[in-house]
Each structure stands twice: as structure tokens, then as C-alpha cells.
Amino acid sequence: MQTLEKTHPKLQELKTRLSEINDLESAASLLYWDQATYMPPGGAAARGRQLATLRHIAHTKFIAPTIGQLLEDLSSYESSLPADSDEASLIRVTRRDYERAVKIPADFTARFSQHSTETYEVWAKARSANDFATIHPYLEKTLELSRELANFFPGYEHIADPLIEEADYGMKATSVRDLFAQLRQQLVPIVEAISAQSATDASCLHQHFPEAEQIAFSLKVIEKLGYDFQRGRQDKTLHPFMTKFSTGDVRITTRIRENDLNEGLFSTIHETGHALYEQGVNRDFEATPLAGGTSSGVHESQSRLWENMVGRSRHFWRFFYPQLQSQFPTQMRDVPLETFYRAINKVERSLIRTDADEVTYNLHVMIRFDLELQLLEGTLAVRDLPEAWNERYRIDLGIVPPNDSNGVLQDVHWYGGMIGGMFQGYTLGNLMSAQFFQAALHTHPQISTEIEQGNFDTLHNWLKANIYLHGRKYTAAEIVERATGKMLSIEPFILYIRRKFGELYSL
């Protein structure tokens, strides 16, 4: 593979400046990781200031005229290179980021950062106390700032478009809505057909599973999947996430419930999917804008592929189930593999997105996406959000949250980021995961047999070669077409759902 060589002095100067900016951003990410894992509550106020300072400096450095001039000076050099060369890709992606960032004032970045940090701390307490009233004014401010951010990009079709594009470049509210409408039309009848049947017995998952034992088993699993502990670690948090400070330091977090084996195990596999992506990026891209996942959707495709298509498959558990029984002999010794398999794939209308099964999960995402658009449009007021949330759950899933902790307060996204562009990536990721997995199996039909034997190398290497190594060289649409030979479609996902759950529920 071609590397980013010192072929042009101005490109080297650009890379030097980008490396300094990356160091500042990584330091900010480290402070956020600490806030979400180990920071004492008393540090919240100072942490907001510290994060705001670092992000302000990083943003100011990136939008400096010097960066713009270097990109201008490199235009002719870029044109002389193959478009998919590493050097041309670095210049192209940096220019795209610069043209977006230069429209956002540095003081706004600092204000939003400090507000988000303060809001996260208030949310953590409000969620625990089932207290939406406390977080309400903070969320009002988040909405105001989100609209302000969108308006730095005039000429949009929908106010959410600039926010969606930040996470999923090339997507707009209209295109996401159209895709979601197609998917919903296919999924709702499946949910209704399954819901009409007797509920699957999942009681085997709801015994007492000591936290330390759960963590020990999960770590064995993800090491087998390929997670490199020399370049990563796992810690506990309130809402699991993955974060990267460099290609040599990619960390994951998890959340454990001692009465629910699903929670910790599958959130760990999910975050590992994100981490495998980041650990697999070409190391020559280190400290440049190429060194990361190309979009929210592609990133989620990897977490969902490893969590669901691998981690919830029979092939996977034919290898790991004896080890699980050995780890929890009292709880699992007398539970047949098929009973366990059906339990971890139980389909039910539930309240919590992160606990949702593969069939209903996307309905949770669509609810949040629609509410985001309404908030940004001004057709839904923040004060009415809990009621609107509950009503959508009643209509779409036939259940109503008993409280806001299990309703509008359950996800961290609006309380640690912006309103807009925060959720569509999850469903885009589900669609991509099926398309990628289908392509990998077509190229290497032995993958399923290898998974049964505890061998994940062929799948991991295919994903690395077709997705991970490229970092941000290609857009999501380009990655999908290069890896699968087709544009993004709902068909592979629907085929996967119909086959797997059709067999489980005799549909």
C-alpha cells in the first residue's frame, strides 16, 4: 500500500500542522473519556472549561488562513496525483473538513463544548432521578445551539441537513426519510407477526451473573475477535462508547447489570466492533484527518456486524457456549444451547434502544430521528418532548415508558452532543452491516464454518482490507460500492432478517 511519503514540502508542512491539531483533539478526547469513567463529580465545572479551551485552540488552529493557503498551494500537486492516492486523499479530505470548519466560529465551538460538558453531568443525575424538569433548560440551550450551528451553512433544504452531513457525509433529511420509510414498511409486518406469537422464554439471561465474572468472560471473547489489548483497554461507564486517542490507543467502555447477561456482553462486543475499525486503520494515516472511520453509518456497521451477525449467531455460540457454561456453571449448566440462542434473539416490543432486538431496533432509531427533525423545525417544543416520545412509543411499538428515565432520558446523545444527525447512523449501519457481511460471505463462504471453530481471521481480514485500512480516504457511499459492488440498499438487511427470524419464529 502506498504510504504518505514526504513528496512535497508544503504537504509535509500541512501534515505537521494537522498533527498538532490532532494532538489537541486527542487530549480533549482523553479528558472526555476520564469524565465518563473515573472523574469525581467535583471536577465537572473545571472539566467543561478545560474541554472548551482545548477545542477552541484546536478549531482556531485548523481554520487559520495558513491551512487554507497550504491547501490552495497544493491544488495543482493534488491534480497531478491519482485521485485515490494517499496524498491526494489527504489533501481532498482535509480541504472538505476545512471548508466546513471555517464556517464555524471558534468561540461557538468553545461555547458548545462547555455547554455539552455541563449538560452531560446534569443528565447523568437527571436520568438516575427520573427528573426531566432539571435537564429541560439545558436541552433548550442545546436546541438553540444546534440551530445556530446549522445556520452557519445557509442554503440547506432542511435545517437538519448540515448536522446530518457532519456525521454521515452525503446524506440529507430527505434521503434518510425515504430510506427509513422503505425499511419501516418491511419491518412493521414482521414485528406484528412475531408479537402475535407466544413470548420467547429468556429467563436464563436474567439470573444473577456477578459483574467480575461477566467482565472476565467478555474480555476473553473480544480478544478472540481480534481486539488488541496492547492498543486498548475496557472500563465501565454510564452509557457505553468507544474512543480513540491514536491508532495505538483505542479504548472501549461497557455497562454491566448483574441480573441481565445481555447488557454487558453485547455492549462489549458492540464497542469492540467500533474499536476493530479504528485499530485497523492504516497506521501511516496517524495524526491526519484520514485516521478514523469515514462516517457514523460505516462505524455503526462494524459494531452491529460483530454484535449481531457474528455475536448473536448460532455459529458463534457453538464455539463459545461451552465456555459460557464453564464461566457460569450454576446459572447455565442445565440451559440447552438452543434455549440460550433463542433467548439472545428474542423479539419483543421494548423501551430501551440499546437492549432492542434486531427486528425492532430500527423503529427506536426512527422515532428519535423524527423527533430530532421536529425539534429543529420548531414543530415540537422541548417541554413537550417527553409526551411526544411516549406517544410515538405507543403508536410504533405498542408500549409506553413508565417514566422518563426509560423514555426520553435513556440516550446520552442529545445531552452530550447536539440535536440533529445523532441517530440516523445506527440504522444506516444496520443496512451496511448486512451488505458488507453478505459480500464477505460471497467471497469467503467458509467464514461461517470458521466462526464455529472460533476462527475470526478471514472475516476480520476482509473487513480490514475493504473498510478499515482506508480510514477516511473514501466516503461511505464509495466504501459500500467498492466493498460490495452495489449502492446501499435495504435488501440485504431485510433478507437477513427474514431468514434468521423467519426460522426462529416460523414466519
Side-chain angles (χ1 to χ4, degrees), residues 186 190 493-503 507:
Q186 295 287 330
I190 300 174
F493 180 75
I494 292 299
L495 178 63
Y496 164 77
I497 291 293
R498 289 189 183 282
R499 282 179 175 171
K500 178 175 181 177
F501 293 94
E503 182 265 327
L507 298 180

Side-chain angles (χ1 to χ4, degrees), residues 212-246:
E213 295 297 305
Q214 287 195 56
I215 290 175
F217 179 76
S218 295
L219 294 180
K220 286 191 291 187
V221 169
I222 64 174
E223 185 171 28
K224 194 73 174 173
L225 295 182
Y227 182 63
D228 184 355
F229 281 97
Q230 294 301 307
R231 297 190 291 144
R233 58 177 288 132
Q234 177 179 261
D235 297 274
K236 293 194 304 176
T237 191
L238 185 61
H239 190 109
F241 64 96
M242 180 280 305
T243 190
K244 182 194 77 174
F245 311 130
S246 69

